[in-house]
Amino acid sequence: MHVLLLKEPREGGSGPDPYIKELASRGHKATLIPVLSFTFVSLNTLSDKLFQPEQHGGLIFTSPRAVEAVKMCLEDDERTEQWNKDIKDKWNAKSIYVVGKATAALGEDTNILPLLFPCGSIKREVLPTALRENGVPLDTLMVYQTAQHPDLEKNLKNHFTEQGVPASIAFFSPSGVKFCLETVRRLSGEQLKQIKFAAIGPTTADAMTAEGLSVSCSADKPTAEHLATGIAKALQ
């Protein structure tokens, strides 16, 4: 059966997207349509902060784009040389947090410098609120803006015209739900109720439910294997 994945292409690397590969191994053909576009901003400010590690107690990353923004700040040869010479070791001596279990340790030490948090224009307030409630200072800096992919509606229309209504559609973010759902509803028509809608995780599933969609499956973990397993079961 055919599955439509409303997500951005694989981050770096080569070869097939892991979600397409996992679904293929379960007998389903998947197509990927990018939903979001990103514009990087405030990189000069981010660069200044990165080269003053003594001003912060650590770094928090909640998205690949934030990591990419940091890499972009180091592209200049002189900056790279300075970074490798002494700045990188100063950051390595601090705590670097990513979304997951590591964030739970943040509340253990309230006598710390602010944590530098490069983030996007669409961010949930759960993490900043939790840190604030535990007395952890946060230096939030928006380093990229998220918007609808300029070709999204055209790509969706072409896909439905050429492939028909998919058996399953997977959403990967609340933003994806926001930007895609109206077009998906219009193109699906009366067949909308036949589609098995899948979510990469609980936050996305909540956004889908809030829009009146019936969520057939939500991945136990946000990985290609877990989502493909859930979709395959829903399509049985």
Side-chain angles (χ1 to χ4, degrees):
M1 294 185 182
H2 188 233
V3 180
L4 178 58
L5 304 173
L6 298 174
K7 68 180 290 290
E8 279 50 63
R10 178 183 182 182
E11 295 286 343
S14 58
D17 184 274
Y19 290 88
I20 293 177
K21 184 178 179 180
E22 287 290 341
L23 284 162
S25 72
R26 291 162 174 78
H28 300 293
K29 179 183 177 183
T31 300
L32 183 156
I33 293 182
V35 174
L36 308 176
S37 64
F38 304 98
T39 303
F40 290 95
V41 298
S42 305
L43 293 185
N44 287 337
T45 302
L46 176 60
S47 182
D48 290 342
K49 291 178 181 292
L50 287 172
F51 281 84
Q52 299 179 64
E54 66 278 0
Q55 300 293 322
H56 296 90
L59 266 167
I60 300 179
F61 292 110
T62 60
S63 76
R65 260 68 56 185
V67 177
E68 187 177 349
V70 169
K71 290 181 179 179
M72 292 173 68
C73 291
L74 306 178
E75 288 179 349
D76 180 81
D77 289 341
E78 290 185 6
R79 282 292 203 181
T80 300
E81 183 179 356
Q82 184 183 357
W83 175 266
N84 290 329
K85 183 178 180 181
D86 54 8
I87 301 297
K88 180 171 66 175
D89 288 341
K90 292 179 180 178
W91 278 112
N92 283 336
K94 300 175 183 291
S95 297
I96 309 296
Y97 300 97
V98 297
V99 170
K101 294 181 179 179
T103 57
L106 291 176
E108 296 176 0
D109 182 5
T110 58
N111 187 28
I112 60 174
L113 292 168
L115 296 172
L116 179 57
F117 180 29
C119 60
S121 55
I122 302 177
K123 74 176 193 310
R124 300 182 67 214
E125 291 299 323
V126 175
L127 179 60
T129 299
L131 295 179
R132 184 165 56 249
E133 290 176 350
N134 284 277
V136 179
L138 199 63
D139 181 6
T140 302
L141 177 65
M142 185 178 72
V143 295
Y144 65 92
Q145 295 176 329
T146 304
Q148 177 177 314
H149 192 285
D151 296 326
L152 175 60
E153 188 166 352
K154 180 187 72 175
N155 290 339
L156 283 171
K157 183 178 180 180
N158 290 343
H159 178 77
F160 274 72
T161 299
E162 296 169 5
Q163 302 290 335
V165 177
S168 176
I169 296 178
F171 287 97
F172 288 75
S173 70
S175 298
V177 177
K178 173 184 176 182
F179 294 140
C180 295
L181 188 52
E182 181 180 346
T183 302
V184 167
R185 278 182 166 142
R186 185 176 71 253
L187 294 171
S188 301
E190 293 297 321
Q191 297 183 62
L192 182 72
K193 295 181 179 179
Q194 301 174 17
I195 300 172
K196 301 296 183 182
F197 286 99
I200 191 61
T203 302
T204 301
D206 288 345
M208 295 163 66
T209 301
E211 292 293 338
L213 285 183
S214 176
V215 181
S216 298
C217 69
S218 180
D220 293 333
K221 294 181 181 180
T223 68
E225 180 180 0
H226 285 87
L227 183 64
T229 298
I231 290 175
K233 288 181 179 179
L235 290 175
Q236 285 180 346

